[in-house]
Amino acid sequence: MPFSKERLKQFEELKKQYPEGRHKSALLPILHIAQEDHGWLPAELLNEVAEVLDIHPIEVYEVATFYTMFHVKPVGKYVLEVCRTGPCCLVGAENIIQYLKNKLNVEEGEITTDGLFTIKPVECLASCGTGPVLQIGPDYKYYENLTTEKIDQLIDILRRQG
Amino acid sequence: MGKQILLEHLGKPDIQSIEGYLKQGGYSSVQKAIKSFTPEQVVEEVKISGLRGRGGAGFPTGLKWSFLDKKSDNPKYLVCNADESEPGTFKDRYLMEHLPHLLIEGMIVSSFALTAKTSYIYVRGEMMYVIRILEKAIAEAYAKGFLGKNILGSGYDLDLYVQPGGGAYICGEETALLESLEGKRGNPRNKPPFPAVWGLYGCPTVVNNVETLAAVPWIVNHGGAAYASIGIGKSTGTKLISACGNINKPGVYEIELGVPVEEFIYSDEYCGGISNGKELKAVVAGGSSVPILPKDLILKTAQNEIRLMTYESLSDGGFVSGTMLGSGGFIVFDESACIVRNLWNFTRFYHHESCGQCSPCREGTGWMEKVLHRIEHGHGKITDIDLLVDVARKIEGKTICPLGEAAAWPVASAIRHFRSEFENHIHNPDSCNAKHLHFESSMLH
């Protein structure tokens, strides 16, 4: 799964943001782009990233597995990230997570049978005043002040988009 | 309404764009600093202002800047800490989303003061839409000549880049942030050496919070003394407070430091009182990592004086009866909130976010979470309460970075002030009036 010429050119530009010899700093931005293209980060793709940066694959693996935003297992087309931290729970986040699980008939981390959704509770999205909050990847758009009605509408829209 | 410094131009037409920002006098501090000041003079003004780091630690900003190893031949770096992920804290996201050019202006002036020629804004990866806003604003600033080579014909060069994080609370700790920016896991470094001597790529570096840097343009434009005249004592200027929980008006408020806590909670200008007509039970005043205080102690100090929104007043009484201003993440709990449940939630957060480098934190946070889980779910033993205190004590002060304290302080303070609630959960597990809100989390055990 080699990167396209456009992506490789973009990576070369990214590397210029850092001093000579410090291009490993581009690792996180490149992982974000790789995930955006592929949906998740299989080992083959991580190896490609290592080649792009001329670093050892293990240096990529240890980073990809440390940060929670990177999916090293397959996920649904849409990742539903619901904040499960204190302030959101004070205003009903747990109910929202449970409602989503029931509605989509999946547990956290699983993929729905149509391949569309994965529910991923996350730790604090910095939206404590407008919780409960959901962020939907791969576009990473915030949906705040959630209710079960809003969830129904969102899921309908995403299903139509397929 | 108190003095507005950071949010002065909030809501003005087209303020997110550079054209709208310039119409409000934006970037005037860049003109002033670069053309009329030396870098040392900018540092001096910030020292005079008494500005303290708004990320949580409250360390004097000018003093921090003066520690930068100017004699080093290596490049100097300014890194903006925009990795906001402390539960209860959402003011930096608000600032970057609505006033991106204010941060960029502050970055330019601060970089000039530190003689940095390359600076980075490290933003939480989760805030991808904020990253896009900042990137657009930076491109506009380059196009207008506020960034790049020979800024405003001064001979000063500066490049500014946005770096996305990958989702790790620990990267809010400045040395973990630098590790992450270098493309590594966000494991905090031992200090000393401090970043001012050995920072990004081993070069002298200053790491400042978004809100801190956003205050610099006003200080340069109006003078450090004018800034110092706002607020009380060593708590100078204004502070953004992000208020949430069981209140009528959650949101981000800019306060002059010194507003009484009671006024902040109950006045219509700020939180608007407790929601649903309920009574106040407790407050976490500075983000989830600071000690929780019950109603009587959050409204009055250890000296029985009116508690104020200042660094000093909130910490009056130490950790026995005081807390911290921290990041200004103000979480309000009403009478129906379950302290045990919420503490378990916070502890789960710290366990999840421990980088795993130090054994006391890696093992201790998980241990506390398990004990709290069993208390909350009706399987606790009375000895568990002292066990929690003991584990918290064995984490505090024994880790490389302050995540240990962040995990330990909420546990110690919750038990100190609400011990009977823990005992009640153990003796009468079904009696908690918040029980009907609970759902079992399949993420656990």
Side-chain angles (χ1 to χ4, degrees):
Chain A
M1 49 185 73
F3 290 110
S4 67
K5 278 183 184 170
E6 291 74 26
R7 282 302 194 210
L8 289 171
K9 193 177 166 192
Q10 185 184 2
F11 296 158
E12 288 309 308
E13 286 302 310
L14 265 175
K15 287 192 220 173
K16 291 177 187 167
Q17 296 185 2
Y18 314 99
E20 187 77 28
R22 302 291 187 176
H23 56 270
K24 190 183 171 187
S25 282
L27 178 51
L28 264 69
I30 289 176
L31 285 175
H32 278 296
I33 294 166
Q35 183 163 284
E36 186 184 321
D37 286 350
H38 193 76
W40 66 290
L41 297 170
E44 297 86 346
L45 199 55
L46 297 179
N47 293 340
E48 289 285 336
V49 171
E51 269 192 40
V52 166
L53 288 173
D54 193 23
I55 56 178
H56 296 293
I58 187 66
E59 294 178 77
V60 180
Y61 299 164
E62 66 183 9
V63 165
T65 54
F66 180 80
Y67 296 95
T68 57
M69 288 187 73
F70 300 124
H71 311 306
V72 290
K73 289 180 184 170
V75 290
K77 181 176 179 182
Y78 303 110
V79 180
L80 308 177
E81 298 186 345
V82 190
C83 176
R84 64 171 185 175
T85 313
C88 270
C89 286
L90 276 177
V91 290
E94 288 161 309
N95 300 32
I96 292 292
I97 293 170
Q98 190 63 41
Y99 184 78
L100 268 172
K101 282 195 222 171
N102 292 344
K103 183 176 178 69
L104 299 175
N105 195 27
V106 283
E107 288 300 315
E108 296 153 12
E110 293 177 353
I111 305 171
T112 52
T113 51
D114 57 8
L116 283 181
F117 301 105
T118 295
I119 301 170
K120 184 184 171 194
V122 294
E123 298 293 354
C124 196
L125 288 171
S127 189
C128 319
T130 44
V133 61
L134 160 73
Q135 179 169 229
I136 302 180
D139 290 340
Y140 295 108
K141 191 173 173 193
Y142 273 46
Y143 298 89
E144 298 169 282
N145 296 307
L146 285 177
T147 59
T148 52
E149 290 76 21
K150 280 188 187 175
I151 290 284
D152 288 343
Q153 289 167 9
L154 268 173
I155 298 295
D156 283 348
I157 291 168
L158 292 173
R159 276 185 174 142
R160 279 201 297 274
Q161 288 173 356
Chain B
M1 179 69 73
K3 184 88 181 166
Q4 298 285 286
I5 288 176
L6 300 162
L7 304 183
E8 182 184 5
H9 299 306
L10 187 72
K12 302 268 176 74
D14 205 21
I15 199 68
Q16 260 195 342
S17 79
I18 199 161
E19 297 298 345
Y21 188 67
L22 286 169
K23 278 181 192 161
Q24 302 301 329
Y27 288 98
S28 54
S29 72
V30 176
Q31 302 260 8
K32 187 171 180 181
I34 289 182
K35 295 194 169 168
S36 313
F37 284 34
T38 63
E40 291 76 15
Q41 285 173 319
V42 178
V43 175
E44 192 54 31
E45 284 303 319
V46 173
K47 271 188 182 174
I48 292 167
S49 75
L51 174 68
R52 295 165 68 166
R54 303 301 198 213
F59 192 81
T61 304
L63 191 60
K64 187 175 188 176
W65 287 9
S66 69
F67 292 154
L68 192 78
D69 184 3
K70 293 262 175 59
K71 289 177 189 163
S72 169
D73 292 332
N74 287 325
K76 320 292 185 287
Y77 291 104
L78 172 65
V79 178
C80 173
N81 185 344
D83 191 61
E84 185 175 58
S85 38
E86 171 98 349
T89 312
F90 48 99
K91 41 114 184 159
D92 291 341
R93 177 170 86 90
Y94 188 79
L95 204 53
M96 291 186 286
E97 179 182 342
H98 296 284
L99 297 161
H101 284 287
L102 178 63
L103 172 61
I104 294 166
E105 183 179 354
M107 289 283 297
I108 296 168
V109 176
S110 304
S111 298
F112 171 74
L114 298 165
T115 66
K117 295 195 169 182
T118 307
S119 297
Y120 297 94
I121 308 175
Y122 183 100
V123 187
R124 282 192 79 180
E126 283 93 337
M127 300 178 190
M128 209 52 89
Y129 82 99
V130 172
I131 289 172
R132 292 182 199 119
I133 289 170
L134 287 173
E135 285 176 339
K136 180 173 177 283
I138 287 172
E140 290 176 337
Y142 268 103
K144 291 282 184 191
F146 293 116
L147 283 168
K149 297 281 182 202
N150 194 23
I151 294 171
L152 305 177
S154 64
Y156 176 60
D157 306 334
L158 176 66
D159 284 313
L160 178 61
Y161 302 109
V162 176
Q163 177 83 353
Y169 168 75
I170 191 61
C171 292
E173 194 280 331
E174 62 178 1
T175 61
L177 184 152
L178 295 176
E179 287 287 296
S180 182
L181 184 45
E182 291 181 5
K184 294 178 270 184
R185 297 167 68 113
N187 289 137
R189 299 173 181 171
N190 267 313
K191 292 190 280 192
F194 289 89
V197 176
W198 184 270
L200 186 62
Y201 311 126
C203 299
T205 302
V206 166
V207 182
N208 280 140
N209 173 258
V210 172
E211 187 188 344
T212 314
L213 293 166
V216 172
W218 196 95
I219 291 168
V220 168
N221 279 332
H222 298 82
Y227 190 87
S229 71
I230 304 165
I232 293 177
K234 290 181 180 175
S235 294
T236 64
T238 65
K239 172 91 188 77
L240 294 182
I241 305 292
S242 51
C244 64
N246 305 129
I247 48 174
N248 285 318
K249 292 169 59 187
V252 176
Y253 298 100
E254 182 170 12
I255 62 163
E256 285 187 43
L257 285 166
V259 171
V261 173
E262 187 164 3
E263 182 184 333
F264 184 71
I265 295 172
Y266 290 101
S267 80
D268 286 338
E269 189 178 343
Y270 302 116
C271 301
I274 310 303
S275 50
N276 300 315
K278 291 188 174 162
E279 285 292 316
L280 172 64
K281 180 174 187 176
V283 168
V284 170
S288 67
S289 60
V290 310
I292 187 171
L293 289 185
K295 178 181 178 178
D296 54 341
L297 287 177
I298 191 65
L299 301 181
K300 293 281 179 70
T301 67
Q303 312 301 321
N304 203 31
E305 292 169 348
I306 292 170
R307 182 91 74 180
L308 307 176
M309 299 286 279
T310 64
Y311 292 92
E312 292 73 25
S313 182
L314 280 165
S315 62
D316 184 81
F319 289 160
V320 175
S321 55
T323 183
M324 295 165 74
L325 179 61
S327 60
F330 200 87
I331 311 168
V332 178
F333 300 87
D334 72 23
E335 58 191 310
S336 69
C338 172
I339 297 298
V340 178
R341 176 85 179 170
N342 281 284
L343 183 63
W344 165 52
N345 188 300
F346 283 157
T347 305
R348 180 177 65 183
F349 171 84
Y350 289 107
H351 179 211
H352 185 271
E353 298 299 330
S354 170
C355 79
Q357 189 175 203
C358 308
S359 302
C361 176
R362 181 185 64 243
E363 304 300 327
T365 53
W367 194 357
M368 291 195 302
E369 186 206 331
K370 281 180 183 168
V371 173
L372 280 162
H373 180 263
R374 71 177 178 233
I375 295 175
E376 164 62 8
H377 292 79
H379 309 296
K381 297 174 283 186
I382 201 68
T383 52
D384 281 345
I385 301 174
D386 286 333
L387 174 63
L388 281 169
V389 174
D390 191 43
V391 176
R393 195 177 294 139
K394 283 174 176 148
I395 299 173
E396 184 184 353
K398 295 172 182 68
T399 53
I400 289 173
C401 84
L403 194 135
E405 281 77 32
W409 287 342
V411 172
S413 60
I415 293 174
R416 183 183 303 126
H417 300 303
F418 297 97
R419 192 179 187 100
S420 62
E421 202 162 315
F422 288 81
E423 290 168 348
N424 196 39
H425 265 71
I426 292 163
H427 293 309
N428 308 294
D430 295 325
S431 65
C432 175
N433 61 5
K435 212 77 178 174
H436 65 282
L437 300 172
H438 299 177
F439 283 103
E440 188 70 35
S441 170
S442 58
M443 287 290 281
L444 279 160
H445 321 299

